[in-house]
Amino acid sequence: MSRPRLIKESSAPLPLDRELLVRIHDLMVKTRVLEERLIQMYKQGHGYFWIGGPGEEAFNVPLGLLMKKGQGPEYDFLHAHYRQSGTLLALGEEPIGALRQMKNTASDPYSGGRNFAGHFSLRKYNVAPVSSPIEVQYSIAPGTAMVQKRVGGDGITIVTGGDAGTAEGDFATCLVWSSRPANPLPVLIIVTNNKWGISTSAEGQHGEPRVSERGKAFNIRSKTINGNDPVESYLELKEAMEYVRKERRPFLLEANVSRLYGHSSASGANYVTEEVDCLKDFEKRLEQDGVLTRQQMDDLRNRYTEDMAAAARIARDEPLPEPESIWKHIFAEDK
Amino acid sequence: MANMAQAIRMALHYAETHLGVTDIFGEDVGAPLGGVFTCTQGLKTTWNSPLDERGIIGAAMGIAMGGGRPVAEIQFCDYVYNTIDLLKLAGNTCWSSNGDWNLPMVVRTPVGSGIRGSIYHSHSFDATMTHIPGWKVVMPSNPLDAYGLLISACKEQNPVMYLEPKALLRVKGEERIPGEPDDDRTLSKLIDAPLGDRSQWKPQWPEALEAFAVPIGKGKLVREGHQVTVVSYGRTLPLCARAAATLADEGISVEVIDLRSLWPYDWDMMKASIQKTGRVLFVNEDTEVTNFGEHLVRRTVDELFYSLLAPPRLLAGKFVPGIGLADTLEMASVPQQNDITTALRALAGEQP
Ligand SMILES: Cc1ncc(C[n+]2csc(CCOP(=O)(O)OP(=O)(O)O)c2C)c(N)n1
C-alpha cells in the first residue's frame, strides 16, 4: 500500500503481477465480446432492449475480482446497476446467462425471461436484483450493511450507480444513512461517472467539480479515480475496500469511465469513437510491457467471439417461459 | 383488556423475542418516545431512523436481503407516498428475480381519519396498497386481531403492509389476548411508559404471551344475519357492527364480515354470505374512485350476479383532495355511523 505508484505514467512498469494482469485482460475481453454480442442480438431482433457496460470493463472487472464472494452477511453484497456484466463475469458467471436474459428465455438465470439484459440477480453471491428505477439501490444498501456490521466479520456492502442519478434523493439517503456518527456503516459507495444521463450532459446535470466531493460534507472519505485504467481501478478499489472492511465506515469512490456504445439501444448502441476505449489502451500497455503479444490478444478475442456466437445460438433456440408461469413466484413459499 | 397500541407492542415484543425480528425502526420509534402512537415503547430492537421515508423502506429491504427481519414504521401513511416505487420494487423482487430473492419484511403505518388529523394525517392507504402486487396487506379492527395479524406478519417470507386504523389505536378490546393480564390497570403499569423521564424505565412484559396468530387471508364473521351482508375493515368495522345491532332492533338482520386481510382476502367467506343474503354493502373510508371496495363490487357482479337481490353497494370516502380539520368537514368526508346505518337500511329495503 505504501509502495509509490506511478501508474498514471504509461512508461512505468505495470505494478501488478503478470498473472493478475492477464486475468483482468481476459475478463475485460470476455466482457466486451459479450456486450458486443448482446448488441448484435438486439440489432438482429433477438431481444427487445439492450443496456450494458462496454467501456466500463476496466473498473467493473477489478471490482468483481476483489469482492468477497458468497451468500449471506459474512460476504460482500453488491447493489449494482445495469452496466456491470464485467463484475458478474469476474465473479465467475458464464456469459450465456446474459445472452439468455437478452433472449428472455425460460432458462435466463437472473429473471426467467422477465427482465432486461444487464438486470442481474444472484443470491448465491449476494448480488441484489438490478432495478430499472435508477438509484433506488442506494437506499437499500445501508440495510445490508447494517446487518453486516451487526453480524461482525469483514463483509461489506458495495453499491454502484451513475453520475446523473446522483440527483435522486436515494443518493443523499445513502450518504446520510451510512455516515451517521452513532452508526457508521461498511458501505463502499461507488459512482461511475460517464459524464452523461441518457442525453443530458454532466454540465446540465450537476455542478460539483467532482461527485466524490459530496462525501466531504458527511465526513465520508472519498476519491475520484480513472476508471478507464484497470490497474488504477484495481489498486484504488483494493485500498477503499480494505478501509471499509477494516474500519466499518463508508467510502465514496467516483470512477471516471467511458460510455462506448451510448446509453442503450434507445440511443442507437453504436460505437462512440471520441471516448477513451479502456481495452485498447490496456492492450497497448500490455504489449509495450511484454505481458502479452498482439497475436495472443487477437487470438483470445477471436476465441471468445466464437464461443459467444455458439452460446448465442444455443440461447436462441431455447423456449420462452410458459404463459402460466406469470403466476409463479409472486410470493415466496414458506421454506 | 389491551387497547390496539398495547396489542401491537406486545406482538412486537413476542416477535423480537421469539420470531427473529431484528429491527423495529422508523421516525421516533425508539426511545424516548416509542412511536407517536406509543406502539413501540420499551421494545429491545427499536431504533430511531433519520427522517427519511425512502431510507426507511430501503433499509427495510436491505435488512431483509441481508438476513435480518425488519419491522419498519412510516409515521403516517400520508408520508409513505414518496416511497411508492420502493414499495413496488419490494413487491416485485421475488417475481422479477424468478424466485431467487424474497423479502421477509413488515411495514407498519397508521391510516385513516378519526383523530382530527387534517389534510396530512388522515389519508387511507388501502386502495393504493392493494394495487401493488407482491405484498400481503392487512388491517385489524380490534386488539386481538391486531396482535394475531402482526404475529403472522412477522412470520412471513414476504413483504407485509400492516395498516393501523389510528382511530382505533386507543380502543380497548372485548376479547383477551392470550397471555395478557386480566385487568387493564395491571397491564398499563407493566407495559406503558411513564410520562416524563423514562430513562430508567423498563417494561415488564407479560410472560404468558402466546404465539396467537390470525392467518393472513382469513376474514372474521363478526355477526350472523340473513338479509344483508356488510363487509368492512379497520375504523369502519365497529361502526358496521353497531349499525347491525341498531337495525336488529328494527327487525333487519345484517351479517357483518371483518375482512382483516385485504390481500389475499377471504372471498369464500364473502361469497357464502352474499349468496345467502343477496345484498351486500362494502364499507371503507378511502376515497371512492378506484377504491378497493370497487374491486369487490366488480367481483360480486362477475361471480354472484344471479344470487343478487339488489345492486352491490359501496360506501366510501368522498373523492376530495383531503380531509379538512373542522369537525363538520371530516364528518362529511368519510363514512360515519349514521351513513352506514342509513345505507344498510336502504339496501335492506331496496326492491327491483
Ligand atoms: C427513476 C428513474 N428515472 C428515469 C429513468 C430513465 N433512465 C434510465 S437510465 C437514465 C440515465 C441515468 O444516467 P446515470 O445515472 O448517469 O447512469 P448511466 O446510465 O449514465 O450509467 C435514465 C434517466 C429511470 N430508469 N429511473
Side-chain angles (χ1 to χ4, degrees):
Chain A
M1 218 177 86
S2 55
R3 188 160 42 128
R5 282 192 234 134
L6 298 165
I7 51 181
K8 289 194 176 101
E9 292 171 31
S10 56
S11 59
L14 290 161
L16 293 178
D17 291 346
R18 180 180 187 278
E19 201 186 328
L20 182 56
L21 291 168
V22 170
R23 190 147 171 241
I24 291 174
H25 172 258
D26 183 277
L27 284 162
M28 284 175 69
V29 175
K30 198 175 185 181
T31 307
R32 179 67 58 87
V33 172
L34 165 63
E35 290 288 1
E36 285 171 351
R37 176 58 55 176
L38 289 169
I39 291 170
Q40 197 183 59
M41 282 175 79
Y42 160 75
K43 290 189 173 176
Q44 292 172 341
H46 292 289
Y48 298 110
F49 176 71
W50 167 82
I51 191 161
E56 299 196 12
E57 298 91 344
F59 183 79
N60 284 335
V61 165
L63 177 62
L65 288 176
L66 286 162
M67 270 178 66
K68 190 179 166 194
K69 88 178 182 190
Q71 184 173 341
E74 295 82 9
Y75 300 91
D76 292 351
F77 272 90
L78 178 65
H79 300 270
H81 68 315
Y82 43 68
R83 299 204 191 276
Q84 288 192 269
S85 47
T87 308
L88 269 287
L89 293 193
L91 282 173
E93 282 297 275
E94 284 305 322
I96 192 161
L99 300 172
R100 286 173 162 147
Q101 192 171 41
M102 170 55 82
K103 188 68 181 62
N104 20 99
T105 58
S107 58
D108 153 21
Y110 310 116
S111 68
R114 292 169 177 196
N115 215 340
F116 287 146
H119 287 55
F120 299 101
S121 163
L122 207 58
R123 191 169 193 170
K124 67 173 179 182
Y125 294 152
N126 285 346
V127 178
V130 170
S131 88
S132 283
I134 54 165
E135 302 293 290
V136 293
Q137 66 273 21
Y138 287 92
S139 285
I140 300 169
T144 49
M146 257 179 255
V147 175
Q148 288 174 311
K149 188 173 173 186
R150 200 177 294 151
V151 164
D154 64 356
I156 65 170
T157 287
I158 300 153
V159 56
T160 67
D163 58 304
T166 62
E168 302 275 1
D170 301 274
F171 189 67
T173 288
C174 197
L175 296 176
V176 170
W177 285 64
S178 56
S179 68
R180 288 182 296 148
N183 191 19
L185 299 175
V187 193
L188 176 57
I189 306 167
I190 293 170
V191 177
T192 50
N193 186 347
N194 60 23
K195 305 186 295 294
W196 291 99
I198 296 179
S199 63
T200 313
S201 68
E203 289 73 30
Q205 178 78 232
H206 44 99
E208 74 280 46
R210 290 172 168 215
V211 176
S212 65
E213 283 174 17
R214 286 163 73 176
K216 275 189 195 163
F218 295 85
N219 207 11
I220 295 177
R221 199 192 267 200
S222 341
K223 196 157 190 180
T224 297
I225 66 160
N226 176 11
N228 278 327
D229 179 346
V231 176
E232 178 171 341
S233 295
Y234 188 90
L235 293 170
E236 294 292 354
L237 272 165
K238 189 159 184 279
E239 192 172 326
M241 285 164 103
E242 271 167 13
Y243 170 82
V244 178
R245 259 187 230 300
K246 196 158 149 279
E247 303 296 327
R248 315 309 283 161
R249 304 182 75 81
F251 190 108
L252 171 56
L253 186 69
E254 175 188 18
N256 290 321
V257 296
S258 295
R259 208 180 65 171
L260 277 188
Y261 283 81
H263 175 263
S264 62
S265 52
S267 65
N270 295 316
Y271 190 76
V272 184
T273 48
E274 313 82 83
E275 296 268 330
V276 171
D277 184 328
C278 61
L279 184 57
K280 274 188 193 155
D281 280 18
F282 189 40
E283 294 199 332
K284 230 180 277 164
R285 285 169 70 196
L286 291 173
E287 200 181 0
Q288 247 170 34
D289 276 30
V291 178
L292 289 167
T293 63
R294 190 64 259 168
Q295 186 64 46
Q296 284 172 311
M297 296 188 286
D298 289 346
D299 287 350
L300 181 73
R301 192 166 181 135
N302 290 337
R303 209 166 62 239
Y304 275 135
T305 305
E306 280 171 30
D307 288 356
M308 224 60 78
R313 277 193 298 275
I314 294 175
R316 277 176 209 177
D317 293 336
E318 287 178 344
L320 297 183
E322 294 296 325
E324 315 82 67
S325 73
I326 58 169
W327 300 108
K328 257 183 144 173
H329 306 304
I330 294 174
F331 291 115
E333 305 304 332
D334 280 338
K335 288 167 190 143
Chain B
M1 305 289 170
N3 65 36
M4 195 183 282
Q6 291 170 321
I8 288 168
R9 215 186 297 151
M10 288 192 282
L12 289 173
H13 164 72
Y14 188 88
E16 66 180 5
T17 47
H18 291 86
L19 304 178
V21 163
T22 54
D23 295 80
I24 298 168
F25 70 103
E27 294 156 18
D28 305 304
V29 160
L33 193 59
V36 294
F37 292 101
T38 74
C39 293
T40 54
Q41 283 177 348
L43 296 161
K44 66 173 177 165
T45 61
T46 54
W47 48 274
N48 291 319
S49 73
L51 301 192
D52 173 14
E53 288 78 20
R54 292 188 67 78
I56 293 169
I57 300 297
M61 294 170 70
I63 291 168
M65 276 180 186
R69 194 175 254 290
V71 178
E73 175 178 309
I74 299 295
Q75 200 159 72
F76 291 88
C77 81
D78 313 62
Y79 305 117
V80 78
Y81 283 85
N82 68 347
T83 70
I84 208 91
D85 60 324
L86 287 168
L87 299 181
K88 175 174 168 179
L89 193 64
N92 73 27
T93 291
C94 187
W95 193 86
S96 63
S97 67
N98 209 19
D100 191 21
W101 289 91
N102 62 292
L103 298 177
M105 58 188 271
V106 179
V107 176
R108 301 172 31 246
T109 190
V111 296
S113 68
I115 60 157
R116 303 303 180 264
S118 165
I119 297 167
Y120 266 94
H121 304 81
S122 306
H123 261 302
S124 290
F125 199 54
D126 36 321
T128 308
M129 201 56 222
T130 49
H131 197 71
I132 306 180
W135 283 78
K136 300 195 176 178
V137 186
V138 301
M139 170 138 58
S141 72
N142 62 65
L144 181 64
D145 286 346
Y147 183 90
L149 285 169
L150 195 44
I151 296 287
S152 291
C154 292
K155 289 178 171 171
E156 261 292 330
Q157 299 299 322
N158 299 287
V160 181
M161 181 60 70
Y162 184 93
L163 303 175
E164 300 171 1
K166 59 178 96 76
L168 302 181
L169 283 167
R170 296 271 166 268
V171 178
K172 283 183 184 157
E174 289 168 7
E175 291 166 295
R176 211 169 146 272
I177 292 162
E180 73 163 303
D182 285 332
D183 100 281
D184 305 345
R185 288 173 55 122
T186 314
L187 179 66
S188 179
K189 266 212 198 98
L190 293 175
I191 70 166
D192 289 344
L195 296 173
D197 180 20
R198 299 166 170 185
S199 52
Q200 303 307 315
W201 174 75
K202 275 206 164 51
Q204 285 175 278
W205 299 106
E207 272 171 28
L209 286 176
E210 289 172 24
F212 170 78
V214 169
I216 293 175
K218 290 274 170 256
K220 182 177 178 183
L221 196 60
V222 174
R223 182 190 180 102
E224 280 192 65
H226 55 86
Q227 280 176 290
V228 196
T229 300
V230 61
V231 179
S232 188
Y233 46 81
R235 180 186 74 89
T236 48
L237 190 278
L239 303 180
C240 292
R242 238 169 280 145
T246 305
L247 292 170
D249 296 339
E250 299 173 20
I252 300 171
S253 168
V254 179
E255 182 142 298
V256 183
I257 291 173
D258 184 350
L259 209 47
R260 303 196 291 196
S261 293
L262 279 63
W263 195 270
Y265 60 78
D266 196 341
W267 179 243
D268 288 345
M269 181 177 278
M270 282 185 273
K271 183 176 169 182
S273 179
I274 296 165
Q275 281 173 330
K276 178 171 71 173
T277 63
R279 297 168 198 267
V280 62
L281 173 70
F282 299 102
V283 183
N284 65 51
E285 60 169 293
D286 207 340
T287 43
E288 64 194 356
V289 177
T290 322
N291 181 289
F292 178 59
E294 288 189 332
H295 161 68
L296 298 175
V297 169
R298 192 265 286 166
R299 190 156 181 194
T300 303
V301 172
D302 276 358
E303 294 187 29
L304 305 174
F305 185 79
Y306 296 105
S307 309
L308 293 171
L309 302 173
R313 299 285 182 198
L314 170 68
L315 181 63
K318 302 291 191 300
F319 192 61
V320 291
I323 289 182
L325 182 57
D327 202 42
T328 45
L329 300 181
E330 176 166 322
M331 295 304 226
S333 302
V334 287
Q336 305 300 333
Q337 180 71 72
N338 196 35
D339 303 321
I340 296 171
T341 316
T342 306
L344 280 171
R345 193 185 287 119
L347 183 58
E350 194 163 331
Q351 296 302 328

